[in-house]
Amino acid sequence: MTAILETGGKQYRVAEGDIIYVEKLTAEEKAEVTFDTVIAVYEEDKVKTGSPYVDGVTVTANVIKNGKAKKIIVYKMKPKKNYRRKQGHRQAYTKLQIKSIVLPKEKKAAAPKAEKAEKTKKVEE
């Protein structure tokens, strides 16, 4: 089973056991995080989509670590104008391991109605 969840303005396709890097979350290391912003869920050959989110579906993940990515250099220059600016940037991230994808329990209302109909027939006979 896989799901598409939204966090930090981005969408991630995840399955149980996957490790993903997301925008920095406020959770501590070794904490558990729950996402309820699930856009779609794929079960074998069934697909459930939400508008915008699927009701009752949650994705649980464990925080492995909070860190910063490699430094990138932002360099601006305008030739012949003596304009040069050099700046570095390290993006903060949270490393997550997906623990479980929980679906809501489906109600089976058709089966009890059929049983009630059979009981009423027996009483009438």
Side-chain angles (χ1 to χ4, degrees):
M1 178 179 1
T2 60
I4 297 177
L5 65 94
E6 182 179 10
T7 179
K10 298 180 180 82
Q11 297 175 359
Y12 301 91
R13 185 173 183 157
V14 296
E16 292 182 10
D18 284 356
I19 294 177
I20 59 172
Y21 294 86
V22 298
E23 295 292 321
K24 186 170 184 327
L25 302 173
T26 57
E28 297 288 325
E29 291 184 18
K30 298 181 182 175
E32 193 171 281
V33 181
T34 304
F35 298 100
D36 58 351
T37 55
V38 178
I39 297 170
V41 177
Y42 300 92
E43 286 185 281
E44 296 162 13
D45 39 337
K46 295 180 186 176
V47 178
K48 292 182 184 178
T49 58
S51 58
Y53 304 117
V54 182
D55 292 332
V57 178
T58 58
V59 176
T60 306
N62 291 327
V63 176
I64 297 174
K65 93 179 207 186
N66 291 316
K68 288 186 174 182
K70 284 188 165 185
K71 182 177 276 192
I72 61 165
I73 304 298
V74 180
Y75 187 73
K76 299 178 183 179
M77 180 188 137
K78 294 188 179 177
K80 299 181 245 176
K81 302 295 180 192
N82 197 24
Y83 175 82
R84 293 172 185 85
R85 302 289 182 265
K86 183 177 178 181
Q87 182 180 14
H89 175 74
R90 293 183 69 189
Q91 184 67 40
Y93 69 85
T94 300
K95 185 178 179 181
L96 301 173
Q97 181 172 16
I98 304 301
K99 184 177 176 185
S100 64
I101 300 171
V102 180
L103 298 173
K105 304 274 184 184
E106 292 186 15
K107 297 178 183 176
K108 295 189 178 181
K113 288 181 183 177
E115 290 176 10
K116 287 181 183 178
E118 291 175 6
K119 286 181 183 179
T120 55
K121 285 182 183 178
K122 288 180 184 177
V123 173
E124 292 172 2
E125 294 174 356

